[in-house]
Structures are given as structure tokens and as C-alpha cells.
Amino acid sequence: MSPSLVLTLALAASALAAPRFLPKPSGCASPASGKHTCAINATLTVPANQTVLAAPSTAPSYVLLGVGYQNYTCSTAGVYTSVGAVADLYDISCLSSVPAVFTNIQDEAYRLWQSLPTSPKTLPAANGYPLMGSHFFATSPSGTGISPVWDFRGASAKGNPDAFVLAAKIGDLPAPTGAQDVDWLQLKSVEGSLATQIYRTDTRGGTAPTSCTPGSALISLKYVAKYWLYGGTVKE
């Protein structure tokens, strides 16, 4: 993957915007003055009868809704290969005080995201869900390949050079909802202070077709996911 393509995908994250959700439900908590987040009243439960994803042993630091694109190129073998993702990250910690809505917010978000025009410049802003930062891929520290990044430095943590995490995957589980949704993931921190562990769960969309014509253009497929961040020293 060329450096210019990595840069293009990373910059695209800042241009995204979340769908216009319904107004926050009755009973939804609100952050304290000057804050973006609330106490998280939800627990991540990994699927049963599997050993790929380990259940977290501590409380989450952040719970986020990612709204964006999974990106793929077509290989010479006629198979789509992932070249990362870009997404905006919205805080949904306050929504965790209303479990019935929190549990299914990814479904509502994906339905709305699918109904909007493809161009991110035409998307309406989120309604009451603070933008915390962006998710994108950057060149791996080894200089080979790309690694996922969650970055608050351009939004909720401006001025904090450590408010990011570049991570490495340690677990990859097919989505319980089916092959149309990208996998659930467990990752660990390699660089940055935003988190020590990251989980991607409750995914919707983003899976590439099973085959392609070699030489086809890059494709970007809409997806939504919950991201749970644990540990780290970047706090509200």
C-alpha cells in the first residue's frame, strides 16, 4: 500500500460525519460541564463458546460509535484485500444509561448511514453525540504494512500529543450476526496513551464481495461498530 493512499484514507476520516440520530431518549445521562463523556453503565460481553476474544477484566475508559468506511483493493488473484478503514468516533457513554437504546444503537446508526448519500460532505452532523476523534490506518512502526489508529488529538483532546493509540490485532472473530458484517476484534496498544486494549463489536456492514476483477478501483463500504477502549492515561 502506497504512503499516498494511507494519507488519503487517513485524511478522509476527518471529512466524515455521523447520521442524524433520533433525539436522545428520556433518561439518558448528560456529561458534567466541560466534559464529553458520562460514567459507562454497560459491560462488554464477548460471545460464548469461543476462545478468540478474551473478556476484558477492567471497566472501559471509553465506549464509542464508529461510523465510516471499510476500504478494499482488488488483488491480482481477483480477491478483495483490506487496506484499512476510516471512521468518525462518537461518544455513546451517556446513552449507556438507557440499555434498551444503547444495545441497538448500531442498528439505527447503520440504517441511517445506509440511507444517506455516499459523499461524506453531504452528511448531516450528529445530534447530541460528541465527536471524540477519528479512526484510520497508518504505516506500522516496523515500516511494513499498516496498523489501526484511534486518535482524539484532532477533536476532544486537542493539544494532548499522547491522545491516540496505534494497535495490533490479537483476536479476530466472525460477527455473530453473519458474514455481511465485519469481524469483531480484540487489539492491544503498540503506541500512544489513549488505551491499552481495544475491542470492535456490534459491527454492521463493511464486508467486501467474495471476488473482483483484477485492476478494479478501490472500493469503500459503509460500516458501523462499537469500539470499547480500556486502560490508558488519557482521561476526561
Side-chain angles (χ1 to χ4, degrees):
M1 183 178 184
S2 70
S4 61
L5 182 54
V6 172
L7 179 60
T8 298
L9 296 179
L11 290 176
S14 64
L16 297 173
R20 187 177 299 280
F21 300 113
L22 297 175
K24 284 189 174 183
S26 175
C28 185
S30 297
S33 178
K35 303 293 185 180
H36 297 91
T37 64
C38 300
I40 299 172
N41 296 306
T43 302
L44 168 58
T45 302
V46 299
N49 302 316
Q50 56 84 32
T51 58
V52 177
L53 304 184
S57 58
T58 60
S61 302
Y62 297 96
V63 60
L64 309 163
L65 188 72
V67 180
Y69 295 99
Q70 294 286 328
N71 300 293
Y72 301 90
T73 58
C74 185
S75 71
T76 56
V79 177
Y80 278 113
T81 300
S82 174
V83 288
V86 291
D88 278 347
L89 302 172
Y90 292 86
D91 176 74
I92 52 172
S93 63
C94 299
L95 194 62
S96 68
S97 61
V98 188
V101 180
F102 177 85
T103 299
N104 299 306
I105 188 63
Q106 65 278 352
D107 296 305
E108 175 69 7
Y110 186 61
R111 181 184 66 79
L112 292 170
W113 185 208
Q114 284 289 84
S115 71
L116 293 170
T118 300
S119 172
K121 294 181 180 179
T122 67
L123 297 179
N127 183 14
Y129 298 88
L131 174 67
M132 300 299 289
S134 59
H135 171 49
F136 56 90
F137 279 64
T139 302
S140 299
S142 65
T144 302
I146 55 175
S147 297
V149 178
W150 290 260
D151 192 343
F152 286 8
R153 293 173 294 181
S156 63
K158 290 181 179 179
N160 185 342
D162 299 319
F164 76 97
V165 56
L166 181 147
K169 182 172 67 177
I170 58 176
D172 187 325
L173 185 72
T177 45
Q180 73 280 357
D181 301 323
V182 290
D183 291 356
W184 290 27
L185 303 177
Q186 180 181 353
L187 308 99
K188 65 178 181 180
S189 172
V190 175
E191 294 181 352
S193 300
L194 184 59
T196 56
Q197 286 193 97
I198 306 97
Y199 290 78
R200 182 179 77 185
T201 70
D202 300 285
T203 53
R204 296 294 183 268
T207 300
T210 56
S211 63
C212 56
T213 301
S216 299
L218 177 146
I219 62 171
S220 296
L221 303 177
K222 293 180 178 181
Y223 88 106
V224 169
K226 283 193 178 100
Y227 289 106
W228 303 74
L229 278 56
Y230 293 82
T233 59
V234 178
K235 307 298 182 184
E236 277 277 287

